[in-house]
Amino acid sequence: MTAPLLLLPDLGDLLRLQPHYNAATVTEWLSELRPQTVWWASGHDPEHPLRDALPAAGFTVQELDAPDWAWADEEHGQLLEFLKLYPQGRERLSQAARAEAEFRQHLSAPLTPQSVLGPLREAAQTYHAATRAALDEGPGTRWRERQLNDLVERLQGCVGAAIVALDDMTPLLERLPHAALPATLPTPGEASRLRALADRAWQLREDDDLSALLAALQREEGDAVTPAAELRAAAAHIYFAAGHLDDARTLLEQAAHALPNEHPRSLAGLVLARLGQVRDAQGERELAQRTYRAVLALNFAPDAARAAAEAGLQQPFTLDLGEG
């Protein structure tokens, strides 16, 4: 009998918003399961939070080399524009929109591993069934059946654990005899808590207690998934947002010197891009330009960091507190 393939649900960028089911929670889960291989069977986004977290936690991820289905998104968009031209088409669009709105309500609730595998997974299947009924299989569903069939073929014979999009879990369980859900669910631990703190600091809101956030960041020493360099950079982000450039610079320079050698791979670009902006805002143009060039010389930098560096080389960055 083929060894089982355990399916772990991926929520994409929603992992950055969930204190009890974030990128570190997935690494904690995998640490409990100890699979012989971790397969990547989710999307192509190079900036996906698990692309940083899994290697940082020591997991070697095997790619399935699945095709890029971006063309299916384009076809979907074309279909929606066509349907808008006709009364019956607009009614179908309304049905699909209602299904999406209902699903979004589930996504906006606080999530845990238990709720993700239970009610949220069921809600995802309800949403896809309603979308298929309203828009038909094909461009209306972004060729979902073709994508699933291709994924099933690629996962045949794979053993260990696979990171799969939440939407794909139920059909994969139905089509892959050796696939299963993990028998145990993780209790989010210290790594999840630390990751949630950093995620929260990167996404400031107007009503945030910035002093409390800063105090919480300063109490922590970091771990592999959320290292000390990121905690300092996140604290610098708060000072930067408040216009305290001297404090932001001090923390960013500390973060730059404390960067891990390789992972998380996004961190160096984010730290250096913001450091270049701070140096620019303080009138140190030449040093800022060198910092921007360092971002562009990295093997990998997030799009936002690369865009900030390119813009900074074109003209000096100035801080506009009115933009937040």
Side-chain angles (χ1 to χ4, degrees), residues 297-320:
L298 294 171
N299 291 331
F300 176 81
D303 287 344
R306 186 168 293 276
E310 291 171 345
L313 287 174
Q314 292 297 317
Q315 66 180 60
F317 173 82
T318 57
L319 182 62
D320 183 354

Side-chain angles (χ1 to χ4, degrees), residues 60-79:
T60 300
V61 180
Q62 297 293 326
E63 302 286 339
L64 284 179
D65 296 323
D68 188 347
W69 294 89
W71 62 268
D73 292 332
E74 295 177 7
E75 283 198 1
H76 181 75
Q78 292 170 2
L79 174 67

Side-chain angles (χ1 to χ4, degrees), residues 110-176:
L111 300 176
T112 65
Q114 290 82 356
S115 65
V116 169
L117 284 186
L120 187 60
R121 182 164 64 94
E122 294 174 5
Q125 296 315 298
T126 300
Y127 160 69
H128 283 293
T131 300
R132 185 170 57 250
L135 302 180
D136 296 327
E137 176 61 32
T141 63
R142 297 177 173 84
W143 297 97
R144 178 163 170 75
E145 285 300 312
R146 284 177 58 180
Q147 294 193 48
L148 285 169
N149 289 336
D150 179 83
L151 188 55
V152 167
E153 289 183 11
R154 294 176 188 278
L155 287 171
Q156 293 286 355
C158 293
V159 297
I163 307 298
V164 303
L166 171 76
D167 308 58
D168 296 341
M169 292 195 68
T170 296
L172 288 177
L173 289 169
E174 294 170 349
R175 302 175 193 211
L176 286 169

Side-chain angles (χ1 to χ4, degrees), residues 75-125:
E75 283 198 1
H76 181 75
Q78 292 170 2
L79 174 67
L80 299 187
E81 292 301 315
F82 175 78
L83 290 176
K84 290 177 183 177
L85 301 175
Y86 303 96
Q88 289 183 336
R90 290 193 290 272
E91 175 56 31
R92 285 176 172 243
L93 290 176
S94 295
Q95 295 173 13
R98 287 193 293 271
E100 182 174 358
E102 292 176 4
F103 185 42
R104 285 187 179 278
Q105 289 182 350
H106 290 273
L107 293 175
S108 63
L111 300 176
T112 65
Q114 290 82 356
S115 65
V116 169
L117 284 186
L120 187 60
R121 182 164 64 94
E122 294 174 5
Q125 296 315 298

